[in-house]
Amino acid sequence: MRIIGIDPGLRCLGWGIIEADRGRLSHVANGQCTSVGGDLAARLLSLHTQLSEIFVRYRPEAAAVEQTFVNRDGAGTLKLGQARGIAMLVPAQAGLQVGEYAPNAVKKAVVGVGHADKRQIDHMVRLQLPGCAPAGPDAADALAIAICHSFHAASASRLAAAIGAGR
């Protein structure tokens, strides 16, 4: 299964694509969509266009997005939420359901602790995806989100098989 992880951001939206095949993970591609200058609508359109091109090029079969946490800056949180809307809209337009994961859940799945820093995430992503060179911290986070989704999808598949076998 080809999985895209998306780390939403208005200035820099990270994306990472992995291939999950019977428990084996491999890196496909990663990068960062950036939007600079212009009004908010133009920046959101830029992110939508860039992310849509990634979907056309790599054709992911599953998608996962990091959930937004609310901070003290209400305006900043709202803008991040709008970028997150783009991160959820593009996979939905491609007909995919979108998995959503809290930042601590992603860190726990990839690093083993829920309060890992960006350096630790980058290190563990490189260990789990040999030969991978994340384009930046947002791309590394996106790859971690994809890895987290692959773990959750595999667990759900095993659970469904166990339930089906018990009938």
Side-chain angles (χ1 to χ4, degrees), residues 6-166:
I6 304 171
D7 182 29
L10 185 57
R11 284 195 184 111
C12 186
L13 181 146
W15 61 273
I17 301 173
I18 64 170
E19 195 79 38
D21 184 20
R22 287 178 240 137
R24 291 183 173 261
L25 301 178
S26 59
H27 174 258
V28 175
N30 73 85
Q32 300 180 138
C33 301
T34 57
S35 72
V36 291
D39 65 357
L40 179 60
R43 295 173 72 186
L44 292 171
L45 177 60
S46 172
L47 292 175
H48 181 272
T49 301
Q50 292 174 68
L51 193 55
S52 294
E53 289 170 359
I54 291 159
F55 269 74
V56 168
R57 182 173 182 187
Y58 293 104
R59 305 228 182 264
E61 301 162 286
V65 175
E66 189 171 72
Q67 292 175 338
T68 304
F69 62 92
V70 178
N71 59 31
R72 292 181 186 155
D73 176 16
T77 300
L78 182 59
K79 287 177 183 176
L80 177 58
Q82 291 167 328
R84 188 170 179 277
I86 297 299
M88 296 187 71
L89 173 65
V90 173
Q93 287 177 320
L96 302 180
Q97 289 187 335
V98 181
E100 299 178 70
Y101 300 96
N104 285 352
V106 173
K107 293 172 184 177
K108 189 161 182 103
V110 176
V111 179
V113 292
H115 295 289
D117 64 28
K118 294 230 180 237
R119 197 178 77 254
Q120 291 171 303
I121 293 167
D122 183 88
H123 177 73
M124 290 306 292
V125 163
R126 289 172 189 263
L127 280 177
Q128 293 182 45
L129 302 171
C132 170
D138 296 309
D141 287 352
L143 287 165
I145 294 161
I147 292 168
C148 177
H149 186 71
S150 75
F151 293 162
H152 284 272
S155 295
S157 177
R158 286 192 301 272
L159 179 60
I163 291 170

